[in-house]
Amino acid sequence: MRPLVLASASPARRELLERAGVRPTTRPSAVDEDAVERAARAADPGLDAAGLVVELARAKGEHVASSWPQEDDAPVVVACDSVLEVGGAVVGKPHEPHVAVERWRQIRGGEGVLHTGQWVRDLATGATTSAAASTRLRFAELSDDEIEAYVATGEPLEVAGAFTIDGLGSPFVEVLEGDHGTVIGLSLPLLRRMLLDLGVGWFEVVSR
């Protein structure tokens, strides 16, 4: 079995893998996401949301892969990043309650596209691949009171787009077109294809 390292602190991403039979080692990266985004946009002013999340995932993955102990069994490193796109604008993590409230007033009753970028490197060979998955969403028409109550839970503050599909925010997503894992932050069908591109079969990373 090939060990898999998840370059993320997200418990939701880890749970997705575990439900599919993969038991990852988690190693969060310490990259400055804002700095990575600025550099990516400076290099490519026309960078779209899907391209941005791939760049963010790459930076996280390279940080973890470059610091992995050489003497350890060479694992497969998987890194991810997600953003919500609304009306052509990228919506990241709000961090602050007043920002989350404003985000929800913007997206309620409307649509958006959740993009998740994924970067994978096989440390045994050095081979790397990256790709993005996108899922379209339609949001419920929340009242101001509902928005305030949801933001008060704290859940929306540190998640892309200020909502979750697998937690308290799930009643507020009325339509989902695409892979739900993309919205959680990791598309397993895409990950399987990416592993195959590197010559790693899915059941090589699944615990048996």
Side-chain angles (χ1 to χ4, degrees):
M1 193 189 83
R2 296 294 308 279
L4 186 145
V5 173
L6 177 62
S8 173
S10 167
R13 290 187 178 116
R14 181 186 182 97
E15 186 176 354
L16 272 176
L17 287 168
E18 290 178 340
R19 285 181 177 177
V22 181
R23 297 177 183 169
T25 297
T26 54
R27 183 69 61 87
S29 69
V31 300
D32 183 335
E33 294 183 29
D34 291 337
V36 172
E37 180 174 353
R38 286 194 298 270
R41 292 195 181 282
D44 181 4
L47 188 68
D48 62 11
L52 174 61
V53 286
V54 168
E55 281 300 301
L56 289 165
R58 177 195 58 76
K60 293 177 179 180
E62 287 184 345
H63 179 267
V64 170
S66 65
S67 62
W68 196 259
Q70 295 294 319
E71 63 272 15
D72 281 13
D73 291 339
V76 175
V77 177
V78 176
C80 312
D81 197 86
S82 301
V83 299
L84 178 68
E85 181 181 8
V86 178
V90 170
V91 180
K93 300 172 183 176
H95 301 301
E96 299 292 336
H98 71 278
V99 178
V101 168
E102 202 53 44
R103 294 270 171 84
W104 264 102
R105 287 175 177 166
Q106 175 190 7
I107 66 176
R108 62 181 170 188
E111 294 188 350
V113 180
L114 198 295
H115 303 278
T116 287
Q118 300 182 184
W119 181 95
V120 183
R121 174 173 291 170
D122 184 351
L123 294 189
T125 64
T128 302
T129 186
S130 60
S134 302
T135 295
R136 184 171 296 279
L137 307 163
R138 188 170 74 229
F139 298 100
E141 184 67 68
L142 272 68
S143 67
D144 286 346
D145 286 346
E146 285 178 305
I147 291 173
E148 295 281 355
Y150 181 41
V151 171
T153 69
E155 182 184 80
L157 302 186
E158 299 301 327
V159 290
F163 76 98
T164 65
I165 192 68
D166 58 337
L168 299 177
S170 56
F172 311 138
V173 179
E174 295 191 331
V175 177
L176 186 154
E177 298 175 3
D179 172 26
H180 82 286
T182 300
V183 186
I184 295 172
L186 174 60
S187 171
L188 294 179
L190 176 59
L191 177 59
R192 172 186 163 273
R193 295 194 298 272
M194 295 172 76
L195 290 171
L196 288 173
D197 287 344
L198 300 182
V200 179
W202 178 252
F203 282 97
E204 292 182 61
V205 297
V206 169
S207 300
R208 286 174 284 177

